[in-house]
Amino acid sequence: MKYYICLEEDRIWYVRGRFKWCPGSGSRRHLEIVDWEFVEPVPDVASALTRLAEKHGMEGKRVSLIVGRDVRMMSFTIPKAGKNAMKRMAVNEMSLLDAGFGNHAMALDLGTKSGRTMVSVTAYYMEQQSLDAYKKALEDGKMICGRVLVLPDCMALMARELWREERVLLMDVSQGSMGFYVLAGGHCLACHMTGLKTSCFLREGALDMLCEEMAEQVEGLMGDMGTAQEVPAPDCMVIMTSCIPDAQAVAAYMSERFKVPCSVRMPEPVDATCLAVCVAGSLEGKRKALELEELQNGDGEGSVLGHGPFITRGWALFLLANALAAGGLSFHAAYLNHRAGMELDRTEYAIEEAEYKTRVRESMRMEERIGEMSAYREKTRTAKELLAGKNLLCMDGFRAFTEAMDPDMRIEALSFEGEGPYLQMVVSMEHSEDVPAYVERVKHAGVFRQVRHSLWEKREEDRETDRVYATVYGTLGTGGQDEAQ
C-alpha cells in the first residue's frame, strides 16, 4: 500500500490505498482504499503533517505529495519536435506569457495533439520556494518525500481509468470548496477551484441556490475555455460528492440546464480527491502521472531541459554552417571597414572649411529645435490617449445597484476597478431568498455587460439581527448587457 498526502487550498488529505489488477479478470483493475483522513481547516501545514504522520505511522515511510494549492495552469501550442526540444520550447513560451516565470517547479503534459504540425501543451507550475517549504514540512514530520504530483492531472487520469466517456466535466463538491474540471483522454483541459461552501447552502436549505451557483461556475469555465481554445462540448457531466443528501436532484438540474447527461458517481465512501490520488499514484509506464520537477538552468540529468547525446550529426552540420557564415561575415565586415576609412579621409578635408562649419552649427540648432517640438507633441498625444482610455465610473452603474434594492437592504461596501472595468458592491438583507431577485433586477437595468454574485453567508454582529451578505459584481461595457446573461 502507498501513502499519499494531498494539499488543497483549505484542507489536507491523507489516504493509503492502491489501484491494482484483479486476479483472473483480464484487464480489470480494483481500487482499494484502507485508510483516509482529512484535516480542515489548516492553520499550519507543518504541524498538521506531523500529527498525521504520528497518528497513521508514516514516520520513516515514503509518501507521495499531491499539490492542489499554489499550482497554476497554462495552455498553449508549440510546433511538433522531439520531446526534449518541445520541453525547451514550452519553457520559452511560458517565459513570454508569464513575466514572473523563473524559479519554478514545472510539469508538462505534451500528450494532446492539435493539427498536423502543432502540439497542445498543458503546463502546471508553482514557485520552487513553496514546493521546498512543503517538502521541508514532510521532513519535519519524519517522512520521506517521494513523487510530487499535481491534483488536476490526477483527476484526469482517474476519469480515463474508471469511466468510458471520452470528455467529462467533473464537479468535485465538498463541504468547504468546489472544483470544476474539463477532462479528456487522460488530460485536464481546464480547471477552476472556488471557495464556495456547500455547508452554508445546505444549512439554510437553499439547494436551488446551490444548483444556480454551480451552474454559473460551469458556464464561466466553459466560456473561458471556449475563448482560449477550440474544445468540443463534454460528453457528460459527473458530480462527485458525499455531502449533498439529494445529489440526484442537483444532477437533474444540471442535465436540464445544459442539455448534457449528468450523473452522480461515488464508487467509494470517500471524496473524489482520495480516489484520484490512489488511481494516479498506482499507474506506471507511459500511463503514469505527471511529476513536478525543478526547472534547472543546466542540462544535467533530472532537469526539465535535459538533452540526449552531447552532439549529433545534425548539431555538427549546424555548427559547421554557423562557422562558415561567421567567416563570410568577418570578411565582408573588413571590406566595409576599409571603404569607410577611405570615405572618412575624403570627408576630413571638406569639414575644415569655415562655410561648412557654419552650416553644421545651424543644422545642429535646427535639429535641437525640432527635437523639442517633437517631444512636446508626443507628450500632448500621450496625455490625450490616457484621458481617452480612462475608465471613469458614471452614476448609471451606481444607480443600477441602488435602484434595485428593497427597503430592507443596505450597502455594506463598494469598490470600482478601472481595468475591466467592473463595479463590486456588498449588500446585506434579511432573507437569502432576496439575493437572486436582486441580482436579476440589476441585470435588467441594462447598464452592466455581465452581472454575477458570489459567496453569501450569515454573520452575527453585536446587537444586530442576522443578515445575509451578498457580493454582486457588475462588468461595465459599451455594448450593454450580454445576451448570454
Side-chain angles (χ1 to χ4, degrees), residues 196-209:
L196 287 174
K197 299 185 181 298
T198 308
S199 57
C200 295
F201 292 89
L202 299 180
R203 187 170 58 246
E204 300 296 331
L207 185 62
D208 55 341
M209 296 190 66

Side-chain angles (χ1 to χ4, degrees), residues 315-481:
W315 276 106
L317 292 176
F318 174 76
L319 295 175
L320 178 60
N322 276 274
L324 293 175
L329 289 174
S330 300
F331 177 77
H332 184 62
Y335 172 71
L336 293 179
N337 186 48
H338 175 69
R339 287 191 57 185
M342 296 177 62
E343 292 290 339
L344 182 62
D345 291 338
R346 287 194 295 267
T347 305
E348 287 179 350
Y349 290 105
I351 63 177
E352 293 298 330
E353 298 180 2
E355 182 181 358
Y356 181 82
K357 293 181 179 179
T358 303
R359 290 182 181 180
V360 169
R361 285 193 292 268
E362 292 178 354
S363 176
M364 292 177 62
R365 285 194 295 270
M366 184 173 294
E367 287 183 359
E368 183 178 354
R369 179 59 179 163
I370 292 174
E372 293 175 355
M373 295 175 63
S374 299
Y376 177 77
R377 182 180 302 173
E378 181 65 21
K379 290 180 181 178
T380 304
R381 184 186 63 81
T382 303
K384 290 182 179 179
E385 289 181 353
L386 289 174
L387 290 176
K390 204 70 174 178
N391 292 314
L392 302 177
L393 175 63
C394 63
M395 287 302 297
D396 292 341
F398 181 76
R399 194 180 293 115
F401 274 111
T402 56
E403 292 182 352
M405 296 174 59
D406 289 335
D408 68 319
M409 297 181 180
R410 69 181 184 217
I411 300 173
E412 301 293 343
L414 176 68
S415 63
F416 171 70
E417 178 61 43
E419 295 185 3
Y422 70 88
L423 181 66
Q424 171 185 317
M425 182 178 289
V426 179
V427 182
S428 66
M429 59 205 69
E430 295 182 356
H431 305 290
S432 61
E433 294 81 4
D434 296 338
V435 176
Y438 173 67
V439 173
E440 288 299 322
R441 289 195 297 272
V442 175
K443 289 181 180 180
H444 290 311
V447 176
F448 300 104
R449 178 164 49 85
Q450 184 181 18
V451 180
R452 298 180 298 110
H453 69 284
S454 63
L455 174 66
W456 61 270
E457 60 182 357
K458 282 188 174 183
R459 301 176 183 172
E460 294 185 0
E461 304 289 347
D462 293 339
R463 301 178 182 178
E464 185 178 339
T465 58
D466 292 347
R467 294 181 66 83
V468 177
Y469 288 72
T471 303
V472 184
Y473 307 85
T475 304
L476 297 168
T478 57
Q481 190 176 358

